[in-house]
Amino acid sequence: MTGTTPERVFAVDGLRVSYGDTEILRGVDLMLAPGEKVGVVGESGSGKSTLALAVLGLLGAGGRITSGRVSVLGRDVTGLSDRELDRVRGRDLSLVFQDPLTSLDPVKTIGSQIGEALRRHNRGMSKRDVAKRSVELLSSVGVSAPERRLAQYPHEFSGGMRQRVLIAIAIANDPAVLIADEPTTALDVTTQAQVMEVLEDLVASRGISVVLITHDLGVVAEFCDRVCVMYAGRIVESAGAAELFDRPAHPYSRALLASLALPGRSRSEPLEWIPGAPPAMTSLPPGCAFAPRCAMAEPRCAEAIPEPEAVFAAGGSPRWAECLRAGEVYDTHNGRVGADHGA
Amino acid sequence: MSAVPTLRYLLGRAFGALVTLVLASALSFAILRVVPGDPARLIAGPLATPEALAALRDELGLNDGIAAQYVSYIGGFLSGDWGYSFASGADVSSVLAQRLPATLELALVAFVIAVVGAVVCALLATYRRGWFGTASKSLSLLGLGFPPFWLGLVLLLVFSSWLGVSPGPSGRLSSYLTAPPQITGFYTVDSLLAGDVVAFSDAVAHLALPALALAMLPWAFLTRLLTANLAETATSPYVVVVRSKGVGRWSTHVRHVLHNAALPTITSSGLVFATLITGSVLIEQVFDWPGVGEVLVGGIQRQDFAIVQAFVLLSAVVFIGINFVVDIVNGFVDPRLRVVGARSQP
């Protein structure tokens, strides 16, 4: 898995992260083609945010990468020092963070916070150029009267406007990869849609690859090309977004989808829930982490983490799920046993 | 930020300061009149006849209503007439003018040592976990417990008696030197202005130990406060965002974390400064420092109204003035405070 062809702008291979003795990420694989938008979905505590911080090398105190690698534009960044990483962060790889209300420094002007990202990677950029570029960035994310607003402070911006500013900061240096960690969770629904639209336009016009971390499957369905479903620190299923929503191959993905009120879904159809709670990361079973909550679990599920099983949808792209019975799950979705299989 | 809210912010703060000043002066005046003691008896002596005392009271205006006394006192205070010492007959303003520079110089140096030391120690202690953080934490805890005068005595014992590297408790200057011509009243500055290097180094040597002893407590207090605030601010989400732009850890720590954590420390520094200026009586005693402390204590013991009153009023002015400055500085540091109606809160 070490070969990094130009087809992968971003690759995570077998990433393991621990806080103290507790392993939070247990071997995560993720790959992005140029311009690809991949969603990482999962419940709170599944390790999504840890993944975002780990690839940026910004795990808090006590957190460390124990094995695996992260490469950006074919370059392994896991072995880099903090100073070397400073040259990668914000230039090749940047972050849009969860909560726009707390993600901007309250005592610095918007202009200085955008300018900081520009100056950091463009030594000797003149004041005038920084200001000019900041104005361009602000108007590109749809902030009106950008010249005036550069001199303002975060508290003079609404939540949605702040998230636009954060997006402007993240794309300031045209990064190859953008990690968006729950970018719309703290916003109301109308604003969410606007922010996602801005993000979508920008990454499309600039060819930025995106990892969208969220628990909002609705956002994923609209925005992403591909979805990775995360559970207890591992990606348990990876599939094209349309295919996953149509026919999940992992029991967890299926349960997750069944518990959603997605648009287009019949109101009469009862919403399902997943029994039990996500396992404590301190006491994981040796086998499949979902097995204790899984309706389809068998004794062999508890023995070892299953090898990813490739599932091939007819006419679709190759996909895999980390389940011993993935084929069966795929075949029996929505009770349609073997429905249009091989058709 | 437009200019109008800032102007309104400033005017609002100034008005608040003025009101506080009037209240503080009235209260201190009232309290001093209410406490037992008779200035007329003090001036005229124990053998004066009741008639003489009554005449003197009348002359001093002590028989007027307290409001009238207050108005006439404030009027005099504002026009530079601060009264005279009942005990020595000297003008209060000239006594203070002679004594204040020594106290101010000591307080300023101690303040700078305390604040700079606290900022450096707190920044380093929170930048990296390690021995420095532990050392700074332990020392600041000890510093909170040491009585300053005791620390002054220990410093004298070690650096003057044992090591002999520092002059003893001999005031501001060695007795064989003459004070530099007075310009600012600060010996260190005046000697430099006069080009007198010998007097300068001697003045610095005399300042070092009392300033250190005086700085210890505020240093410890500010270090603990700032360390706690820095540690808390460092966990804010925007710190991760700043790092994700590629800004280095130290730059982030100084430019963003310190800036956001500074407010409570700035507010407390103002109070610390006011306390240092108005009260280092014990340290002045230990080092034989010719400041206002000795005069004040004497004034209180001898019920010398005018001295104490002037000092209390000056202290109130200093406290309120410094608080006003702190409010302004805080407004610059945190733009959210400039919003009209917002309260200054650490």
Side-chain angles (χ1 to χ4, degrees):
Chain A
M1 301 282 276
T2 53
T4 39
T5 64
E7 276 307 291
R8 297 171 189 162
V9 284
F10 180 67
V12 178
D13 289 324
L15 188 68
R16 287 175 177 271
V17 169
S18 293
Y19 278 92
D21 295 332
T22 313
E23 195 163 52
I24 304 295
L25 296 186
R26 304 180 301 132
V28 171
D29 299 308
L30 189 66
M31 239 155 278
L32 259 75
E36 195 181 17
K37 293 172 283 184
V38 172
V40 174
V41 299
E43 290 165 78
S44 313
S46 58
K48 306 188 303 277
S49 292
T50 304
L51 177 63
L53 294 177
V55 299
L56 280 153
L58 291 176
L59 290 165
R64 63 185 198 289
I65 294 175
T66 49
S67 71
R69 59 160 70 219
V70 178
S71 41
V72 182
L73 295 173
R75 180 183 180 208
D76 183 3
V77 296
T78 23
L80 296 184
S81 72
D82 200 40
R83 268 171 199 279
E84 291 168 317
L85 270 173
D86 281 338
R87 288 194 281 275
V88 176
R89 288 190 280 253
R91 195 189 66 188
D92 301 330
L93 182 65
S94 60
L95 175 75
V96 173
F97 212 33
Q98 296 197 13
D99 183 0
L101 298 180
T102 56
S103 290
L104 286 165
D105 185 334
V107 301
K108 305 276 189 198
T109 62
I110 298 300
S112 86
Q113 300 193 50
I114 300 176
E116 190 172 39
L118 289 169
R119 264 175 280 124
R120 176 68 207 149
H121 299 289
N122 303 279
R123 296 276 159 192
M125 195 173 179
S126 75
K127 250 186 177 160
R128 182 187 294 181
D129 287 347
V130 170
K132 191 167 154 254
R133 185 97 177 86
S134 304
V135 168
E136 284 169 15
L137 282 166
L138 267 194
S139 53
S140 76
V141 293
V143 173
S144 55
E147 290 90 352
R148 186 173 58 84
R149 306 222 76 178
L150 279 181
Q152 293 186 327
Y153 290 91
H155 69 266
E156 297 169 89
F157 282 66
S158 69
M161 283 297 151
R162 287 189 218 188
Q163 194 59 293
R164 287 166 194 254
V165 170
L166 285 160
I167 292 172
I169 289 172
I171 62 161
N173 297 296
D174 280 322
V177 183
L178 177 73
I179 316 273
D181 184 5
E182 306 266 12
T184 57
T185 307
L187 305 174
D188 64 68
V189 182
T190 348
T191 320
Q192 275 186 14
Q194 289 165 358
V195 167
M196 288 314 294
E197 209 170 293
V198 166
L199 198 58
E200 192 153 17
D201 289 349
L202 283 171
V203 297
S205 62
R206 290 162 194 246
I208 301 173
S209 309
V210 181
V211 178
L212 177 70
I213 294 174
T214 181
H215 64 261
D216 187 339
L217 288 165
V219 171
V220 169
E222 292 203 10
F223 184 78
C224 295
D225 307 318
R226 203 153 52 82
V227 189
C228 294
V229 180
M230 204 158 174
Y231 188 77
R234 282 185 75 83
I235 288 174
V236 293
E237 178 168 8
S238 168
E243 285 110 69
L244 183 101
F245 282 98
D246 191 37
R247 289 177 81 173
H250 193 283
Y252 177 65
S253 318
R254 182 157 87 175
L256 207 57
L257 288 172
S259 66
L260 276 185
L262 283 176
R265 200 166 162 154
S266 156
R267 279 164 191 273
S268 57
E269 200 178 330
L271 282 184
E272 286 173 33
W273 68 89
I274 308 175
M281 298 304 285
T282 44
S283 56
L284 284 175
C288 171
F290 187 61
R293 301 168 76 187
C294 180
M296 297 177 69
E298 298 172 344
R300 62 187 176 127
C301 290
E303 282 159 19
I305 295 176
E307 285 295 311
E309 187 169 328
V311 185
F312 289 90
S317 51
R319 47 186 287 197
W320 56 266
E322 209 171 69
C323 177
L324 296 168
R325 302 179 66 181
E328 276 174 75
V329 177
Y330 180 77
D331 285 343
T332 60
H333 184 56
N334 287 345
R336 298 175 295 177
V337 180
D340 50 53
H341 196 223
Chain B
M1 174 198 74
S2 63
V4 177
T6 308
L7 191 62
R8 284 184 63 184
Y9 173 78
L10 290 178
L11 286 176
R13 295 291 164 197
F15 181 72
L18 206 63
V19 171
T20 321
L21 198 54
V22 170
L23 288 176
S25 62
L27 195 65
S28 68
F29 190 85
I31 288 175
L32 277 173
R33 301 296 125 159
V34 169
V35 291
D38 184 356
R41 171 68 75 188
L42 187 72
I43 294 170
L47 300 175
T49 60
E51 292 76 32
L53 281 180
L56 191 54
R57 278 201 203 99
D58 213 36
E59 191 196 318
L60 289 172
L62 292 172
N63 292 333
D64 299 348
I66 193 163
Q69 287 187 41
Y70 173 71
V71 169
S72 92
Y73 179 78
I74 291 298
F77 193 87
L78 288 178
S79 60
D81 173 15
W82 294 3
Y84 58 90
S85 163
F86 299 152
S88 71
D91 263 357
V92 170
S93 44
S94 64
V95 170
L96 286 179
Q98 191 199 341
R99 292 279 177 160
L100 261 180
T103 295
L104 281 181
E105 185 175 27
L106 178 57
L108 269 173
V109 173
F111 180 69
V112 170
I113 293 175
V115 170
V116 172
V119 170
V120 169
C121 289
L123 271 179
L124 292 178
T126 48
Y127 183 60
R128 223 162 243 154
R129 277 159 211 279
W131 65 270
F132 187 86
T134 316
S136 158
K137 197 172 182 177
S138 320
L139 194 60
S140 58
L141 194 64
L142 279 177
L144 283 181
F146 286 147
F149 74 90
W150 178 85
L151 187 67
L153 290 172
V154 170
L155 286 175
L156 274 176
L157 189 67
V158 173
F159 290 99
S160 185
S161 299
W162 292 352
L163 300 176
V165 294
S166 168
S170 51
R172 305 173 76 186
L173 217 54
S174 297
S175 52
Y176 54 84
L177 290 173
T178 46
Q182 179 161 352
I183 299 167
T184 59
F186 296 171
Y187 282 7
T188 48
V189 179
D190 287 350
S191 60
L192 272 188
L193 289 176
D196 188 345
V197 180
V198 179
F200 174 74
S201 57
D202 193 68
V204 169
H206 275 84
L207 252 177
L209 292 191
L212 270 181
L214 199 55
M216 184 68 176
L217 190 66
W219 168 81
F221 169 66
L222 293 176
T223 299
R224 294 184 72 78
L225 181 69
L226 188 57
T227 303
N229 285 317
L230 282 173
E232 195 193 324
T233 308
T235 63
S236 305
Y238 58 80
V239 174
V240 178
V241 175
V242 172
R243 292 301 316 279
S244 80
K245 299 182 205 175
V247 179
R249 210 162 100 72
W250 178 251
S251 303
T252 307
H253 202 56
V254 174
R255 265 189 282 171
H256 294 272
V257 179
L258 179 61
H259 189 161
N260 276 280
L263 227 48
T265 304
I266 292 173
T267 306
S268 302
S269 298
L271 290 178
V272 160
F273 187 50
T275 316
L276 284 176
I277 287 182
T278 53
S280 44
V281 176
L282 285 174
I283 290 291
E284 288 182 1
Q285 293 283 321
V286 168
F287 289 92
D288 198 22
W289 197 260
V292 292
E294 194 194 342
V295 182
L296 179 66
V297 171
I300 293 171
Q301 283 167 348
R302 290 190 292 269
Q303 293 177 325
D304 201 343
F305 265 13
I307 292 265
V308 180
Q309 177 75 64
F311 190 78
V312 170
L313 200 51
L314 270 187
S315 302
V317 171
V318 165
F319 266 86
I320 290 161
I322 287 176
N323 263 328
F324 178 65
V325 172
V326 162
D327 275 342
I328 306 295
V329 172
N330 278 346
F332 275 105
V333 169
D334 191 338
R336 287 166 297 183
L337 297 179
R338 283 175 236 155
V339 179
V340 177
R343 300 181 66 87
S344 168
Q345 52 185 353

